[in-house]
Amino acid sequence: MELTTFNQFLAAAVKNGASDVHFKVGSSPALRINGQLLPVKVPALAAEDTARIAAHVLKASRWRGDLEQLQEHDTSYALEGVGRFRVSVFRNKGHLAAIMRSIPMTVPDFQKLGLPQVLEKMSQEDRGLILVTGVTGSGKSSTLAAIVNYINQHYRKHILTIEDPIEFLHEDKFSRITQREIGPDTPSFSSALRAALRQDPDVILVGEMRDTETIEIALKAAETGHLVLSTVHTTDCVRTIGRVVGVFPPEAQHGVRNRLADNLKGTISQRLLPHASGKGRVVAAEVMVSTLSVVEYIKDEARTPEIKDYLEKSSGLLGTQSFDQHLAKLIGEGKITLEVAKEAATNPADLERAISFE
């Protein structure tokens, strides 16, 4: 696939609302639209086609490796007038393949994403840790970008982001924003995070909490007066707490629980669900805002699971909500269907009963 054809294909994909574009040998390209992966009615790609696609992307990112030796590489690709893409180039059965995720040109805001209003309040925190969680493709990066955008529009701060790769491009408004990419700018999240503490940041965005060292430094940054934003690949607040604590050795976990309890300001655990209209997707989110009760539940491992019941009973307190409560609200607003909500619900029977009593 020649460069011009490749760029035209990407432009058409974005125009048709594709969130992801898949290229692999032996199949036609595929587009993920409204959550569904749909094949494009064009001939199947040959090995030379995907090799050219990989070469186009890697050349644009100034990658200097040997294409013949490449096994996997994450980068980004910009197409003027269309947007940016997060790209994973990898090998499939010995042949090069690529999956590209579309990143909108415009940095999103809370209202456009349909995020809970409590995120504005969280974004006003001066210090602590805010975690956005969910599976791959649940919109975590967009939510983090919206938080950064809000701070940028309202406060004079230094916001430092560490990303793999850089996704949304932020321009200085009230804040000064420094964006660093794993690979071209720094070797790892932990290395960049250690350096960040010497770069006078007020807000630090860490693209992902991947390992013990990164989590340790992020907690230290939160403890020393910074607001730290990051993501975890978990589906709810209880699993998020377990994941963060669980990466540490058993003898350190009690201390980490106490530190996390003292510094965690909240979690937003989200999923993307198909809109009732059949066009686009809707964010459904569990929101946990840290309160004195939540702090005690986090510190006591045996009581941590009680946070789920606490969210149900404390709906609306400081903006908290369970996932199923948000599903019920989205049904009431006509944004999702009952069938979609039941498939996604933590407890479908309870959800249906709750709706019937409204």
Side-chain angles (χ1 to χ4, degrees), residues 14-57:
V14 171
K15 185 177 180 181
N16 282 280
S19 62
D20 299 84
V21 186
H22 292 226
F23 301 101
K24 75 170 185 176
V25 172
S27 299
S28 63
L31 308 180
R32 188 175 294 280
I33 299 176
N34 296 331
Q36 299 295 310
L37 195 58
L38 307 172
V40 180
K41 294 181 179 179
V42 298
L45 297 171
E48 53 267 28
D49 293 318
T50 59
R52 287 195 190 101
I53 289 169
H56 298 326
V57 170

Side-chain angles (χ1 to χ4, degrees), residues 85-352:
F85 299 84
R86 185 175 69 198
V87 189
S88 177
V89 179
F90 57 97
R91 290 210 174 258
N92 171 52
K93 298 177 182 176
H95 299 297
L96 286 165
I99 296 178
M100 306 180 68
R101 169 154 296 174
S102 175
I103 305 168
M105 296 275 284
T106 305
V107 179
D109 57 32
F110 299 135
Q111 186 174 4
K112 182 177 180 181
L113 294 176
L115 293 168
Q117 192 172 0
V118 68
L119 263 71
E120 286 193 15
K121 181 68 174 177
M122 286 190 185
S123 302
Q124 296 168 19
E125 295 283 357
D126 287 324
R127 56 167 294 277
L129 179 65
I130 297 173
L131 297 176
V132 181
T133 85
V135 300
T136 300
S138 58
K140 299 185 296 296
S141 296
S142 296
T143 297
L144 286 180
I147 294 173
V148 168
N149 189 45
Y150 180 87
I151 298 171
N152 190 20
Q153 289 178 328
H154 293 87
Y155 299 99
R156 296 193 179 280
K157 296 188 175 184
H158 179 204
I159 305 169
L160 193 153
T161 78
I162 306 165
E163 303 172 72
D164 184 22
I166 290 173
E167 298 192 22
F168 292 92
L169 296 177
H170 295 273
E171 296 182 357
D172 293 355
K173 295 175 183 175
F174 277 100
S175 292
R176 177 180 290 268
I177 301 183
T178 300
Q179 294 186 262
R180 305 191 69 202
E181 183 169 334
I182 305 301
D185 301 322
T186 182
S188 66
F189 281 113
S190 56
S191 175
L193 195 46
R194 282 195 303 271
L197 299 178
R198 300 187 295 274
Q199 292 161 0
D200 190 34
D202 299 291
V203 180
I204 304 172
L205 183 154
V206 185
E208 185 181 343
M209 297 278 236
R210 288 184 177 176
D211 52 55
T212 305
E213 187 177 11
T214 300
I215 295 173
E216 170 62 37
I217 302 169
L219 281 172
K220 179 181 177 182
E223 290 168 335
T224 53
H226 305 87
L227 179 62
V228 180
L229 315 171
S230 193
T231 69
V232 183
H233 287 286
T234 48
T235 55
D236 58 45
C237 59
V238 173
R239 288 182 176 87
T240 300
I241 294 163
R243 176 70 59 82
V244 171
V245 174
V247 303
F248 291 86
E251 64 273 14
Q253 290 182 7
H254 178 70
V256 172
R257 277 188 173 275
N258 288 331
R259 295 170 67 195
L260 182 63
D262 290 340
N263 290 283
L264 185 64
K265 298 300 182 183
T267 63
I268 307 97
S269 303
Q270 57 188 56
R271 304 179 212 174
L272 291 178
L273 303 176
H275 196 281
S277 66
K279 297 180 179 180
R281 291 190 286 176
V282 180
V283 174
E286 172 201 87
V287 179
M288 184 197 76
V289 179
S290 185
T291 63
L292 290 176
S293 295
V294 168
V295 168
E296 291 305 313
Y297 292 145
I298 295 174
K299 288 183 177 181
D300 186 344
E301 181 180 3
R303 299 194 68 190
T304 299
E306 295 180 35
I307 296 176
K308 300 281 284 186
D309 291 335
Y310 173 79
L311 294 184
E312 290 280 353
K313 296 173 183 177
S314 305
S315 177
L317 177 64
L318 300 177
T320 61
Q321 64 185 24
S322 71
F323 186 71
D324 288 1
Q325 285 168 342
H326 196 201
L327 289 177
K329 180 181 178 183
L330 292 172
I331 292 172
E333 295 171 345
K335 293 181 178 178
I336 61 173
T337 65
L338 176 60
E339 291 71 24
V340 165
K342 287 170 66 176
E343 288 180 6
T346 305
N347 192 320
D350 286 352
L351 173 68
E352 197 161 12

